[in-house]
Amino acid sequence: MADVNIQQTPSSGESRGGGSGAVWAVVVVILLLAVGWFVFGGGLTRHSRTDINVNVPGQTGGSGGSGSGSGGATKTP
C-alpha cells in the first residue's frame, strides 16, 4: 500500500484568527438587540391610538325658558 500524506492550508477566513471572533461577537450582539426590540419594544404588536374629540355645546344662560329657575345651577348676586 502507498502512504498518502494530505496537508491542508487554512483558508483566508480562518487565517485572521481573532478578527473573525470579533465579527461573530458583533453579529451576535446585533441579533440579540433586534430580538429584544421585537419582544420588549413592541415590534411584534401593532399599537394604534384613536383620539376621539367630542365637542358638546355648553348651555348658555339666556333669558329663554319658563324662568322658574328649576334647571341648572342658580346664580347668587
Side-chain angles (χ1 to χ4, degrees):
M1 282 245 180
D3 292 329
V4 179
N5 194 2
I6 300 174
Q7 294 180 352
Q8 292 181 341
T9 58
S11 64
S12 62
E14 295 174 356
S15 65
R16 285 186 262 176
S20 63
V23 170
W24 278 111
V26 170
V27 168
V28 167
V29 167
I30 290 174
L31 286 176
L32 287 175
L33 288 174
V35 168
W37 180 76
F38 274 110
V39 171
F40 298 110
L44 295 176
T45 60
R46 178 177 292 179
H47 296 289
S48 62
R49 183 176 180 196
T50 305
D51 291 330
I52 300 173
N53 295 325
V54 178
N55 295 325
V56 179
Q59 295 179 347
T60 58
S63 62
S66 63
S68 64
S70 62
T74 59
K75 291 185 180 180
T76 57

Short mmCIF file of all heavy atoms in Angstrom, two decimals:
data_model
loop_
_atom_site.label_atom_id
_atom_site.label_comp_id
_atom_site.label_asym_id
_atom_site.label_seq_id
_atom_site.Cartn_x
_atom_site.Cartn_y
_atom_site.Cartn_z
N MET A 1 0.84 -1.18 0.00
CA MET A 1 0.00 0.00 0.00
C MET A 1 0.88 1.24 0.00
O MET A 1 1.92 1.27 0.63
CB MET A 1 -0.85 0.05 1.26
CG MET A 1 -2.02 -0.84 1.23
SD MET A 1 -3.43 0.21 1.27
CE MET A 1 -4.64 -0.99 1.22
N ALA A 2 0.35 2.25 -0.62
CA ALA A 2 1.09 3.51 -0.68
C ALA A 2 0.60 4.42 0.45
O ALA A 2 -0.58 4.45 0.77
CB ALA A 2 0.85 4.17 -2.02
N ASP A 3 1.52 5.12 1.03
CA ASP A 3 1.16 6.08 2.07
C ASP A 3 0.73 7.39 1.42
O ASP A 3 1.40 7.89 0.52
CB ASP A 3 2.34 6.34 3.01
CG ASP A 3 2.66 5.11 3.84
OD1 ASP A 3 1.72 4.36 4.14
OD2 ASP A 3 3.83 4.94 4.20
N VAL A 4 -0.41 7.91 1.90
CA VAL A 4 -0.93 9.18 1.37
C VAL A 4 -0.79 10.24 2.46
O VAL A 4 -1.27 10.06 3.57
CB VAL A 4 -2.42 9.03 0.95
CG1 VAL A 4 -2.95 10.35 0.44
CG2 VAL A 4 -2.56 7.94 -0.08
N ASN A 5 -0.14 11.32 2.11
CA ASN A 5 0.08 12.39 3.06
C ASN A 5 -0.66 13.64 2.54
O ASN A 5 -0.29 14.20 1.51
CB ASN A 5 1.58 12.66 3.18
CG ASN A 5 1.91 13.52 4.38
OD1 ASN A 5 1.00 13.87 5.13
ND2 ASN A 5 3.18 13.82 4.56
N ILE A 6 -1.73 14.04 3.25
CA ILE A 6 -2.54 15.18 2.81
C ILE A 6 -2.36 16.31 3.81
O ILE A 6 -2.55 16.13 5.01
CB ILE A 6 -4.04 14.79 2.73
CG1 ILE A 6 -4.23 13.66 1.74
CG2 ILE A 6 -4.88 16.01 2.37
CD1 ILE A 6 -5.64 13.13 1.70
N GLN A 7 -2.00 17.48 3.30
CA GLN A 7 -1.86 18.66 4.14
C GLN A 7 -2.76 19.75 3.58
O GLN A 7 -2.69 20.05 2.39
CB GLN A 7 -0.41 19.13 4.16
CG GLN A 7 0.52 18.14 4.80
CD GLN A 7 1.95 18.65 4.81
OE1 GLN A 7 2.25 19.66 4.21
NE2 GLN A 7 2.82 17.93 5.48
N GLN A 8 -3.57 20.32 4.46
CA GLN A 8 -4.47 21.38 4.03
C GLN A 8 -4.02 22.70 4.65
O GLN A 8 -3.71 22.76 5.84
CB GLN A 8 -5.91 21.09 4.44
CG GLN A 8 -6.52 19.91 3.72
CD GLN A 8 -7.96 19.69 4.14
OE1 GLN A 8 -8.38 20.17 5.18
NE2 GLN A 8 -8.70 18.96 3.35
N THR A 9 -4.02 23.72 3.84
CA THR A 9 -3.69 25.04 4.36
C THR A 9 -5.00 25.73 4.76
O THR A 9 -6.03 25.53 4.10
CB THR A 9 -2.97 25.89 3.31
OG1 THR A 9 -3.79 25.99 2.15
CG2 THR A 9 -1.64 25.26 2.92
N PRO A 10 -4.99 26.52 5.81
CA PRO A 10 -6.23 27.19 6.21
C PRO A 10 -6.66 28.21 5.16
O PRO A 10 -5.83 28.82 4.49
CB PRO A 10 -5.87 27.87 7.53
CG PRO A 10 -4.40 27.94 7.55
CD PRO A 10 -3.89 26.82 6.69
N SER A 11 -7.98 28.36 5.04
CA SER A 11 -8.49 29.33 4.07
C SER A 11 -8.25 30.75 4.58
O SER A 11 -7.87 30.96 5.73
CB SER A 11 -9.99 29.09 3.84
OG SER A 11 -10.69 29.34 5.04
N SER A 12 -8.50 31.71 3.75
CA SER A 12 -8.20 33.10 4.11
C SER A 12 -9.07 33.59 5.26
O SER A 12 -8.67 34.46 6.01
CB SER A 12 -8.38 34.01 2.89
OG SER A 12 -9.74 33.98 2.47
N GLY A 13 -10.29 33.07 5.43
CA GLY A 13 -11.16 33.49 6.51
C GLY A 13 -10.68 33.02 7.87
O GLY A 13 -10.86 33.68 8.87
N GLU A 14 -10.04 31.85 7.91
CA GLU A 14 -9.59 31.30 9.18
C GLU A 14 -8.20 31.79 9.56
O GLU A 14 -7.80 31.69 10.71
CB GLU A 14 -9.58 29.78 9.12
CG GLU A 14 -10.96 29.18 8.94
CD GLU A 14 -10.89 27.68 8.74
OE1 GLU A 14 -9.79 27.13 8.65
OE2 GLU A 14 -11.96 27.06 8.65
N SER A 15 -7.46 32.34 8.63
CA SER A 15 -6.09 32.73 8.94
C SER A 15 -6.03 34.03 9.73
O SER A 15 -5.02 34.36 10.29
CB SER A 15 -5.29 32.88 7.64
OG SER A 15 -5.82 33.95 6.87
N ARG A 16 -7.13 34.77 9.79
CA ARG A 16 -7.12 36.03 10.51
C ARG A 16 -7.15 35.82 12.02
O ARG A 16 -6.69 36.66 12.77
CB ARG A 16 -8.31 36.89 10.10
CG ARG A 16 -8.11 37.51 8.72
CD ARG A 16 -9.21 38.45 8.42
NE ARG A 16 -10.19 37.73 7.59
CZ ARG A 16 -11.32 38.24 7.20
NH1 ARG A 16 -11.67 39.44 7.57
NH2 ARG A 16 -12.15 37.55 6.45
N GLY A 17 -7.74 34.75 12.47
CA GLY A 17 -7.72 34.44 13.89
C GLY A 17 -8.71 35.24 14.69
O GLY A 17 -9.91 35.03 14.62
N GLY A 18 -8.24 36.20 15.50
CA GLY A 18 -9.08 36.95 16.42
C GLY A 18 -10.06 37.88 15.73
O GLY A 18 -11.07 38.24 16.29
N GLY A 19 -9.78 38.29 14.51
CA GLY A 19 -10.69 39.20 13.80
C GLY A 19 -12.03 38.57 13.52
O GLY A 19 -13.07 39.22 13.63
N SER A 20 -12.04 37.30 13.16
CA SER A 20 -13.31 36.64 12.87
C SER A 20 -14.13 36.45 14.14
O SER A 20 -15.36 36.50 14.11
CB SER A 20 -13.07 35.31 12.17
OG SER A 20 -12.37 34.43 13.03
N GLY A 21 -13.48 36.24 15.27
CA GLY A 21 -14.19 36.12 16.54
C GLY A 21 -14.87 37.43 16.92
O GLY A 21 -15.99 37.43 17.45
N ALA A 22 -14.22 38.55 16.65
CA ALA A 22 -14.81 39.86 16.95
C ALA A 22 -16.01 40.11 16.05
O ALA A 22 -17.01 40.68 16.49
CB ALA A 22 -13.76 40.95 16.78
N VAL A 23 -15.92 39.69 14.81
CA VAL A 23 -17.04 39.87 13.88
C VAL A 23 -18.23 39.05 14.35
O VAL A 23 -19.38 39.53 14.34
CB VAL A 23 -16.63 39.47 12.44
CG1 VAL A 23 -17.83 39.42 11.52
CG2 VAL A 23 -15.59 40.44 11.91
N TRP A 24 -17.99 37.83 14.78
CA TRP A 24 -19.08 36.99 15.27
C TRP A 24 -19.70 37.58 16.54
O TRP A 24 -20.91 37.52 16.74
CB TRP A 24 -18.61 35.57 15.54
CG TRP A 24 -18.57 34.74 14.30
CD1 TRP A 24 -17.46 34.27 13.68
CD2 TRP A 24 -19.69 34.30 13.52
NE1 TRP A 24 -17.82 33.58 12.56
CE2 TRP A 24 -19.18 33.57 12.43
CE3 TRP A 24 -21.06 34.46 13.64
CZ2 TRP A 24 -20.01 33.00 11.48
CZ3 TRP A 24 -21.89 33.89 12.68
CH2 TRP A 24 -21.35 33.17 11.61
N ALA A 25 -18.88 38.17 17.39
CA ALA A 25 -19.41 38.79 18.61
C ALA A 25 -20.31 39.97 18.27
O ALA A 25 -21.38 40.14 18.86
CB ALA A 25 -18.25 39.25 19.50
N VAL A 26 -19.92 40.79 17.28
CA VAL A 26 -20.74 41.92 16.87
C VAL A 26 -22.05 41.44 16.25
O VAL A 26 -23.12 41.99 16.52
CB VAL A 26 -19.96 42.82 15.89
CG1 VAL A 26 -20.85 43.86 15.25
CG2 VAL A 26 -18.79 43.49 16.60
N VAL A 27 -21.99 40.40 15.44
CA VAL A 27 -23.20 39.86 14.82
C VAL A 27 -24.16 39.32 15.88
O VAL A 27 -25.38 39.56 15.82
CB VAL A 27 -22.83 38.75 13.79
CG1 VAL A 27 -24.06 37.99 13.34
CG2 VAL A 27 -22.12 39.37 12.61
N VAL A 28 -23.64 38.64 16.89
CA VAL A 28 -24.49 38.09 17.95
C VAL A 28 -25.13 39.21 18.76
O VAL A 28 -26.32 39.15 19.09
CB VAL A 28 -23.68 37.13 18.85
CG1 VAL A 28 -24.42 36.79 20.12
CG2 VAL A 28 -23.33 35.87 18.08
N VAL A 29 -24.37 40.27 19.06
CA VAL A 29 -24.92 41.39 19.82
C VAL A 29 -26.03 42.08 19.03
O VAL A 29 -27.09 42.42 19.58
CB VAL A 29 -23.80 42.38 20.20
CG1 VAL A 29 -24.36 43.69 20.71
CG2 VAL A 29 -22.89 41.76 21.24
N ILE A 30 -25.82 42.28 17.73
CA ILE A 30 -26.85 42.92 16.90
C ILE A 30 -28.11 42.06 16.84
O ILE A 30 -29.23 42.58 16.94
CB ILE A 30 -26.29 43.21 15.49
CG1 ILE A 30 -25.25 44.32 15.59
CG2 ILE A 30 -27.40 43.59 14.52
CD1 ILE A 30 -24.52 44.59 14.29
N LEU A 31 -27.94 40.76 16.71
CA LEU A 31 -29.11 39.88 16.68
C LEU A 31 -29.85 39.88 18.02
O LEU A 31 -31.08 39.88 18.05
CB LEU A 31 -28.68 38.45 16.33
CG LEU A 31 -28.32 38.22 14.87
CD1 LEU A 31 -27.81 36.79 14.67
CD2 LEU A 31 -29.51 38.48 13.98
N LEU A 32 -29.13 39.91 19.12
CA LEU A 32 -29.78 39.96 20.43
C LEU A 32 -30.53 41.28 20.62
O LEU A 32 -31.64 41.29 21.18
CB LEU A 32 -28.75 39.78 21.54
CG LEU A 32 -28.20 38.37 21.72
CD1 LEU A 32 -27.10 38.36 22.78
CD2 LEU A 32 -29.31 37.41 22.10
N LEU A 33 -29.95 42.38 20.15
CA LEU A 33 -30.66 43.66 20.24
C LEU A 33 -31.92 43.66 19.38
O LEU A 33 -32.96 44.18 19.79
CB LEU A 33 -29.72 44.79 19.82
CG LEU A 33 -28.61 45.14 20.80
CD1 LEU A 33 -27.67 46.17 20.19
CD2 LEU A 33 -29.18 45.64 22.10
N ALA A 34 -31.84 43.07 18.20
CA ALA A 34 -33.02 43.03 17.33
C ALA A 34 -34.12 42.17 17.94
O ALA A 34 -35.29 42.55 17.93
CB ALA A 34 -32.62 42.49 15.95
N VAL A 35 -33.77 41.03 18.49
CA VAL A 35 -34.76 40.16 19.13
C VAL A 35 -35.36 40.84 20.36
O VAL A 35 -36.57 40.80 20.58
CB VAL A 35 -34.13 38.79 19.49
CG1 VAL A 35 -35.03 37.99 20.40
CG2 VAL A 35 -33.82 38.02 18.23
N GLY A 36 -34.53 41.51 21.14
CA GLY A 36 -35.03 42.23 22.31
C GLY A 36 -35.97 43.36 21.93
O GLY A 36 -36.96 43.61 22.61
N TRP A 37 -35.67 44.04 20.83
CA TRP A 37 -36.56 45.12 20.39
C TRP A 37 -37.91 44.56 19.95
O TRP A 37 -38.95 45.13 20.25
CB TRP A 37 -35.92 45.90 19.24
CG TRP A 37 -36.79 47.00 18.75
CD1 TRP A 37 -37.01 48.19 19.34
CD2 TRP A 37 -37.59 46.99 17.56
NE1 TRP A 37 -37.88 48.94 18.60
CE2 TRP A 37 -38.26 48.22 17.49
CE3 TRP A 37 -37.80 46.05 16.55
CZ2 TRP A 37 -39.13 48.53 16.46
CZ3 TRP A 37 -38.65 46.37 15.52
CH2 TRP A 37 -39.30 47.60 15.48
N PHE A 38 -37.89 43.43 19.25
CA PHE A 38 -39.15 42.83 18.82
C PHE A 38 -39.97 42.32 20.01
O PHE A 38 -41.19 42.45 20.02
CB PHE A 38 -38.91 41.68 17.85
CG PHE A 38 -38.77 42.12 16.43
CD1 PHE A 38 -37.55 42.06 15.79
CD2 PHE A 38 -39.86 42.61 15.73
CE1 PHE A 38 -37.43 42.48 14.49
CE2 PHE A 38 -39.75 43.02 14.42
CZ PHE A 38 -38.52 42.96 13.79
N VAL A 39 -39.32 41.75 21.00
CA VAL A 39 -40.05 41.17 22.12
C VAL A 39 -40.50 42.24 23.10
O VAL A 39 -41.67 42.29 23.48
CB VAL A 39 -39.18 40.12 22.84
CG1 VAL A 39 -39.84 39.65 24.12
CG2 VAL A 39 -38.92 38.94 21.91
N PHE A 40 -39.59 43.13 23.50
CA PHE A 40 -39.91 44.09 24.55
C PHE A 40 -40.31 45.46 24.02
O PHE A 40 -41.01 46.20 24.68
CB PHE A 40 -38.72 44.25 25.50
CG PHE A 40 -38.37 42.99 26.21
CD1 PHE A 40 -37.21 42.31 25.90
CD2 PHE A 40 -39.20 42.46 27.18
CE1 PHE A 40 -36.87 41.15 26.56
CE2 PHE A 40 -38.88 41.30 27.83
CZ PHE A 40 -37.71 40.64 27.52
N GLY A 41 -39.87 45.81 22.84
CA GLY A 41 -40.15 47.14 22.31
C GLY A 41 -41.42 47.23 21.53
O GLY A 41 -41.80 48.30 21.06
N GLY A 42 -42.12 46.15 21.35
CA GLY A 42 -43.38 46.19 20.64
C GLY A 42 -43.25 46.04 19.14
O GLY A 42 -44.11 46.48 18.39
N GLY A 43 -42.19 45.43 18.69
CA GLY A 43 -42.03 45.23 17.26
C GLY A 43 -43.02 44.24 16.68
O GLY A 43 -43.36 44.30 15.51
N LEU A 44 -43.50 43.32 17.50
CA LEU A 44 -44.44 42.32 17.01
C LEU A 44 -45.89 42.75 17.18
O LEU A 44 -46.77 42.20 16.53
CB LEU A 44 -44.22 40.99 17.76
CG LEU A 44 -42.88 40.32 17.52
CD1 LEU A 44 -42.75 39.08 18.39
CD2 LEU A 44 -42.72 39.95 16.06
N THR A 45 -46.15 43.70 18.06
CA THR A 45 -47.52 44.14 18.28
C THR A 45 -47.76 45.46 17.58
O THR A 45 -46.85 46.28 17.46
CB THR A 45 -47.81 44.30 19.78
OG1 THR A 45 -46.91 45.27 20.31
CG2 THR A 45 -47.66 42.99 20.51
N ARG A 46 -48.97 45.65 17.13
CA ARG A 46 -49.31 46.90 16.45
C ARG A 46 -50.07 47.79 17.43
O ARG A 46 -51.12 47.42 17.94
CB ARG A 46 -50.18 46.60 15.23
CG ARG A 46 -50.61 47.87 14.51
CD ARG A 46 -51.39 47.55 13.29
NE ARG A 46 -50.50 46.92 12.32
CZ ARG A 46 -50.90 46.50 11.14
NH1 ARG A 46 -52.15 46.60 10.80
NH2 ARG A 46 -50.05 45.97 10.32
N HIS A 47 -49.51 48.94 17.69
CA HIS A 47 -50.15 49.90 18.58
C HIS A 47 -50.88 50.92 17.73
O HIS A 47 -50.29 51.61 16.91
CB HIS A 47 -49.11 50.63 19.44
CG HIS A 47 -48.38 49.72 20.38
ND1 HIS A 47 -48.97 49.17 21.48
CD2 HIS A 47 -47.11 49.27 20.38
CE1 HIS A 47 -48.09 48.42 22.11
NE2 HIS A 47 -46.95 48.46 21.46
N SER A 48 -52.18 51.01 17.92
CA SER A 48 -52.95 52.03 17.22
C SER A 48 -53.67 52.87 18.26
O SER A 48 -54.24 52.35 19.21
CB SER A 48 -53.94 51.41 16.25
OG SER A 48 -54.87 50.62 16.96
N ARG A 49 -53.62 54.15 18.07
CA ARG A 49 -54.24 55.05 19.02
C ARG A 49 -55.25 55.90 18.28
O ARG A 49 -54.93 56.51 17.26
CB ARG A 49 -53.18 55.94 19.66
CG ARG A 49 -53.73 56.85 20.71
CD ARG A 49 -52.65 57.64 21.37
NE ARG A 49 -53.24 58.50 22.39
CZ ARG A 49 -52.63 59.52 22.92
NH1 ARG A 49 -51.42 59.81 22.55
NH2 ARG A 49 -53.23 60.25 23.83
N THR A 50 -56.45 55.94 18.81
CA THR A 50 -57.53 56.71 18.20
C THR A 50 -57.95 57.79 19.17
O THR A 50 -58.35 57.51 20.29
CB THR A 50 -58.73 55.81 17.86
OG1 THR A 50 -58.27 54.74 17.04
CG2 THR A 50 -59.80 56.59 17.14
N ASP A 51 -57.82 59.02 18.74
CA ASP A 51 -58.26 60.14 19.56
C ASP A 51 -59.65 60.56 19.09
O ASP A 51 -59.86 60.87 17.93
CB ASP A 51 -57.31 61.33 19.42
CG ASP A 51 -55.96 61.03 20.06
OD1 ASP A 51 -55.94 60.25 21.02
OD2 ASP A 51 -54.96 61.58 19.58
N ILE A 52 -60.59 60.55 20.02
CA ILE A 52 -61.96 60.95 19.70
C ILE A 52 -62.25 62.21 20.49
O ILE A 52 -62.27 62.20 21.72
CB ILE A 52 -62.97 59.83 20.06
CG1 ILE A 52 -62.63 58.57 19.27
CG2 ILE A 52 -64.38 60.30 19.79
CD1 ILE A 52 -63.45 57.38 19.68
N ASN A 53 -62.46 63.30 19.78
CA ASN A 53 -62.79 64.57 20.41
C ASN A 53 -64.27 64.85 20.22
O ASN A 53 -64.74 65.00 19.10
CB ASN A 53 -61.96 65.71 19.79
CG ASN A 53 -60.49 65.53 20.09
OD1 ASN A 53 -60.13 65.06 21.15
ND2 ASN A 53 -59.65 65.90 19.13
N VAL A 54 -64.99 64.92 21.33
CA VAL A 54 -66.42 65.21 21.28
C VAL A 54 -66.62 66.60 21.86
O VAL A 54 -66.35 66.83 23.03
CB VAL A 54 -67.23 64.16 22.07
CG1 VAL A 54 -68.70 64.51 22.04
CG2 VAL A 54 -66.98 62.78 21.52
N ASN A 55 -67.08 67.51 21.04
CA ASN A 55 -67.34 68.88 21.48
C ASN A 55 -68.83 69.04 21.70
O ASN A 55 -69.61 69.09 20.77
CB ASN A 55 -66.84 69.88 20.44
CG ASN A 55 -65.33 69.82 20.31
OD1 ASN A 55 -64.64 69.59 21.27
ND2 ASN A 55 -64.84 70.00 19.09
N VAL A 56 -69.23 69.14 22.96
CA VAL A 56 -70.63 69.31 23.31
C VAL A 56 -70.84 70.79 23.58
O VAL A 56 -70.13 71.39 24.40
CB VAL A 56 -70.99 68.48 24.56
CG1 VAL A 56 -72.44 68.68 24.94
CG2 VAL A 56 -70.69 67.02 24.32
N PRO A 57 -71.78 71.40 22.90
CA PRO A 57 -72.00 72.82 23.15
C PRO A 57 -72.50 73.07 24.57
O PRO A 57 -73.36 72.34 25.08
CB PRO A 57 -73.06 73.22 22.11
CG PRO A 57 -73.70 71.95 21.70
CD PRO A 57 -72.67 70.87 21.89
N GLY A 58 -71.95 74.06 25.21
CA GLY A 58 -72.33 74.35 26.59
C GLY A 58 -73.66 75.09 26.64
O GLY A 58 -74.13 75.65 25.66
N GLN A 59 -74.28 75.08 27.81
CA GLN A 59 -75.56 75.77 27.98
C GLN A 59 -75.29 77.25 28.21
O GLN A 59 -74.42 77.62 28.99
CB GLN A 59 -76.33 75.19 29.17
CG GLN A 59 -76.73 73.76 28.97
CD GLN A 59 -77.48 73.22 30.19
OE1 GLN A 59 -77.47 73.84 31.24
NE2 GLN A 59 -78.08 72.06 30.03
N THR A 60 -76.01 78.05 27.50
CA THR A 60 -75.86 79.49 27.68
C THR A 60 -76.94 79.98 28.63
O THR A 60 -78.06 79.49 28.64
CB THR A 60 -76.00 80.21 26.32
OG1 THR A 60 -77.27 79.89 25.75
CG2 THR A 60 -74.90 79.78 25.37
N GLY A 61 -76.59 80.95 29.45
CA GLY A 61 -77.54 81.47 30.43
C GLY A 61 -78.37 82.60 29.84
O GLY A 61 -78.21 83.75 30.21
N GLY A 62 -79.24 82.27 28.91
CA GLY A 62 -80.09 83.27 28.28
C GLY A 62 -81.39 83.49 29.05
O GLY A 62 -81.63 82.90 30.11
N SER A 63 -82.23 84.33 28.52
CA SER A 63 -83.50 84.62 29.18
C SER A 63 -84.62 83.74 28.65
O SER A 63 -85.78 84.04 28.85
CB SER A 63 -83.86 86.10 28.99
OG SER A 63 -84.03 86.36 27.61
N GLY A 64 -84.30 82.66 28.00
CA GLY A 64 -85.33 81.77 27.47
C GLY A 64 -85.81 80.80 28.53
O GLY A 64 -85.18 80.61 29.57
N GLY A 65 -86.91 80.16 28.31
CA GLY A 65 -87.42 79.17 29.23
C GLY A 65 -88.51 79.73 30.11
O GLY A 65 -89.01 80.83 29.93
N SER A 66 -88.89 78.98 31.13
CA SER A 66 -90.01 79.38 31.99
C SER A 66 -89.61 80.42 33.03
O SER A 66 -90.46 81.09 33.58
CB SER A 66 -90.58 78.13 32.67
OG SER A 66 -89.58 77.57 33.52
N GLY A 67 -88.34 80.50 33.35
CA GLY A 67 -87.90 81.49 34.31
C GLY A 67 -88.12 81.07 35.75
O GLY A 67 -87.95 81.88 36.67
N SER A 68 -88.47 79.83 35.98
CA SER A 68 -88.71 79.39 37.35
C SER A 68 -87.43 79.03 38.09
O SER A 68 -87.44 78.82 39.29
CB SER A 68 -89.67 78.21 37.37
OG SER A 68 -89.07 77.11 36.72
N GLY A 69 -86.32 78.88 37.34
CA GLY A 69 -85.05 78.56 37.99
C GLY A 69 -84.91 77.10 38.36
O GLY A 69 -84.10 76.77 39.20
N SER A 70 -85.68 76.23 37.75
CA SER A 70 -85.62 74.81 38.12
C SER A 70 -84.50 74.08 37.39
O SER A 70 -84.13 73.00 37.79
CB SER A 70 -86.94 74.13 37.79
OG SER A 70 -87.18 74.21 36.40
N GLY A 71 -83.94 74.67 36.34
CA GLY A 71 -82.91 73.97 35.60
C GLY A 71 -81.54 74.58 35.83
O GLY A 71 -81.37 75.79 35.81
N GLY A 72 -80.53 73.75 36.08
CA GLY A 72 -79.16 74.23 36.22
C GLY A 72 -78.88 74.81 37.58
O GLY A 72 -79.71 74.78 38.49
N ALA A 73 -77.69 75.38 37.71
CA ALA A 73 -77.30 75.97 38.97
C ALA A 73 -77.82 77.40 39.09
O ALA A 73 -77.94 78.10 38.09
CB ALA A 73 -75.78 75.96 39.10
N THR A 74 -78.11 77.80 40.29
CA THR A 74 -78.62 79.17 40.49
C THR A 74 -77.47 80.11 40.76
O THR A 74 -76.46 79.73 41.37
CB THR A 74 -79.60 79.20 41.69
OG1 THR A 74 -78.91 78.74 42.85
CG2 THR A 74 -80.79 78.32 41.43
N LYS A 75 -77.58 81.32 40.29
CA LYS A 75 -76.55 82.33 40.50
C LYS A 75 -76.95 83.22 41.65
O LYS A 75 -78.09 83.63 41.80
CB LYS A 75 -76.41 83.18 39.23
CG LYS A 75 -75.82 82.45 38.06
CD LYS A 75 -75.60 83.42 36.91
CE LYS A 75 -75.02 82.74 35.71
NZ LYS A 75 -74.82 83.66 34.59
N THR A 76 -76.00 83.54 42.48
CA THR A 76 -76.25 84.47 43.58
C THR A 76 -75.54 85.77 43.24
O THR A 76 -74.39 85.76 42.84
CB THR A 76 -75.73 83.91 44.90
OG1 THR A 76 -74.35 83.62 44.76
CG2 THR A 76 -76.49 82.67 45.31
N PRO A 77 -76.24 86.90 43.40
CA PRO A 77 -75.63 88.18 43.05
C PRO A 77 -74.56 88.62 44.03
O PRO A 77 -74.46 88.26 45.12
CB PRO A 77 -76.78 89.16 43.03
CG PRO A 77 -77.92 88.49 43.68
CD PRO A 77 -77.62 87.04 43.75
#
